[in-house]
Amino acid sequence: MIGTWTPPGAIFTVEFDDESLTLKLMKKTTIPHDEPISWLTFDHTKKNIYGASMKKFSSYNVVSSTEIVHHVSHPIGGHPQASSSDSNTRAIFILAAKKAPFNVYGNPFYKYAGYGNVFSVNESGGLESNIQNYEYSPESAIHGMVFDPSEEYLYSADMWGDKIWTHKKDPQTGHLTIVGSVNAPSAGDHPRWVEIHPSGVYLYVLMEAGNNLASYVIDERTHMPVFTHITYPLVPPGLSLKMYRADVVFLSRSSRYLFATSRANSFDLTGYIGAFKIGPVGNIEHQLFLQPTPTSGGHSNAISPCDFSDEWLALTDDHKGGVEIYRFHEEFLARVARLDIPDPGFGMNAIWYD
């Protein structure tokens, strides 16, 4: 399933056949016009989709891959101007807890984005109510978050505040309290995305403006990230970093590999996919490759490793509007399928449903 950056709102269900190596549009599900989903995710059962939907955070019941039903939408919380049509604030990211009470955590972006939103869910997993607007700072604009494996601590990448934040989660209520924050390695790095190893030892932080991937270890006592002073490039050396913006970073299903992407700021240039070999406790052993993507990526170029196999990865772009499947085999990456969908704002991130 794949969302869009701009109205009209829609969720696209695309089928990948791993024998014929083909992609097919199965259904375009119409959703509220002014609620395009720039980032979507499943709940822990894959029976609900949660979306960052412009001025709202939304939930959808997944009856089947082609029957997706809108449940509810809640306005952005926190700063009173965040949900106003007069501000440029928009919902940008959403994260579903995998442990009880299964709250859903959302981030607004651009102006008035100094608060994260916490939503409770009903018995079916649909969004129920905004139960907390937890603090970052007035300068913050968070773009990505990740829980540690125990779901006791939340790590947030603050692009505009140039920080990585740590919050502690209450195991009963799911509410968050600030532990602290650390500055990005260099001023203007703009941390955009975070991923964590299942060991809980290593945190990977993608820097949008720095166009690199930074390796951190988690302090066992404070649970704060500590920079290892090791970074890896997400665009080839010698290029102007101002022409690129790093995008997302994700582990493969086995956590033996890590993938990260960057986007180009010109349609005349390409983005890049980088892959990394990961050690048993999460250390990056080495960078395997850094290869061009077919387009600039637009707002997207979001890599989405398959969550039931290391073999397949999806890549979406809203430069031309398409989704691609790559095969990762013997540490080489090959594009095996592409489907162009020229609808407005297609395509944001892809989520896998088997």
Side-chain angles (χ1 to χ4, degrees):
M1 286 82 153
I2 304 164
T4 65
W5 178 252
T6 55
I11 297 173
F12 295 80
T13 300
V14 174
E15 180 186 72
F16 171 60
D17 186 318
D18 63 359
E19 294 182 349
S20 64
L21 301 183
T22 55
L23 285 166
K24 178 183 178 181
L25 178 62
M26 300 296 290
K27 187 174 182 181
K28 174 184 175 180
T29 300
T30 300
I31 63 175
H33 181 277
D34 293 328
E35 298 181 22
I37 301 175
S38 59
W39 191 264
L40 44 75
T41 192
F42 281 120
D43 70 354
H44 64 290
T45 66
K46 292 197 176 183
K47 292 180 180 178
N48 292 278
I49 287 174
Y50 306 120
S53 311
M54 291 291 283
K55 290 292 185 178
K56 305 284 183 66
F57 291 104
S58 55
S59 67
Y60 295 81
N61 176 241
V62 181
V63 181
S64 70
S65 60
T66 55
E67 189 176 353
I68 301 168
V69 182
H70 181 233
H71 168 247
V72 73
S73 299
H74 291 279
I76 297 171
H79 194 287
Q81 291 298 312
S83 61
S84 169
S85 60
D86 294 328
S87 72
N88 70 346
T89 316
R90 72 176 288 167
I92 203 72
F93 182 74
I94 197 161
L95 176 69
K98 296 179 180 179
K99 296 185 178 183
F102 303 113
N103 291 343
V104 177
Y105 300 79
N107 298 125
F109 196 68
Y110 301 119
K111 292 183 178 179
Y112 313 116
Y115 295 86
N117 300 174
V118 185
F119 298 93
S120 61
V121 298
N122 62 24
E123 291 182 357
S124 301
L127 293 184
E128 191 169 55
S129 60
N130 181 333
I131 59 171
Q132 186 193 16
N133 296 311
Y134 65 95
E135 291 183 275
Y136 290 103
S137 75
E139 299 78 29
S140 291
I142 307 297
H143 209 299
M145 303 183 292
V146 68
F147 278 113
D148 74 341
S150 68
E151 274 198 12
E152 293 181 18
Y153 292 89
L154 178 74
Y155 299 98
S156 306
D158 187 349
M159 272 185 57
W160 286 17
D162 244 5
K163 297 178 184 296
I164 300 102
W165 292 85
T166 304
H167 286 78
K168 182 174 175 58
K169 190 182 86 168
D170 184 293
Q172 302 303 317
T173 65
H175 288 194
L176 299 172
T177 55
I178 291 177
V179 175
S181 65
V182 296
N183 291 329
S186 300
D189 264 344
H190 296 177
R192 186 180 194 273
W193 214 263
V194 279
E195 175 69 298
I196 197 164
H197 191 266
S199 67
V201 176
Y202 279 86
L203 181 76
Y204 318 104
V205 183
L206 176 141
M207 308 293 175
E208 181 180 275
N211 282 291
N212 62 51
L213 184 68
S215 175
Y216 286 74
V217 292
I218 301 300
D219 186 297
E220 292 182 355
R221 181 180 61 86
T222 65
H223 299 277
M224 294 281 287
V226 179
F227 182 43
T228 64
H229 296 273
I230 300 172
T231 62
Y232 298 87
L234 296 178
V235 298
L239 298 181
S240 171
L241 295 185
K242 292 182 179 180
M243 294 303 297
Y244 299 90
R245 296 168 295 149
D247 191 44
V248 297
V249 56
F250 286 106
L251 285 161
S252 67
R253 180 184 182 277
S254 69
S255 300
R256 293 174 54 207
Y257 299 97
L258 185 74
F259 297 92
T261 55
S262 59
R263 303 156 292 173
N265 291 330
S266 167
F267 282 179
D268 295 329
L269 303 174
T270 69
Y272 291 89
I273 302 175
F276 306 84
K277 184 71 175 288
I278 303 299
V281 296
N283 56 301
I284 298 176
E285 293 183 348
H286 60 274
Q287 186 163 1
L288 294 170
F289 54 76
L290 183 64
Q291 66 185 50
T293 57
T295 74
S296 70
H299 295 94
S300 186
N301 235 26
I303 195 80
S304 178
C306 177
D307 58 3
F308 43 87
S309 167
D310 271 13
E311 188 173 10
W312 309 109
L313 302 97
L315 181 76
T316 51
D317 77 82
D318 73 338
H319 171 166
K320 292 185 175 179
V323 55
E324 301 179 333
I325 299 295
Y326 288 77
R327 186 186 185 205
F328 184 64
H329 181 63
E330 296 182 1
E331 299 185 349
F332 285 88
L333 192 67
R335 186 175 72 171
V336 297
R338 179 177 174 93
L339 177 66
D340 289 312
I341 299 178
D343 281 57
F346 184 91
M348 293 294 103
N349 71 304
I351 53 177
W352 289 83
Y353 184 87
D354 187 1

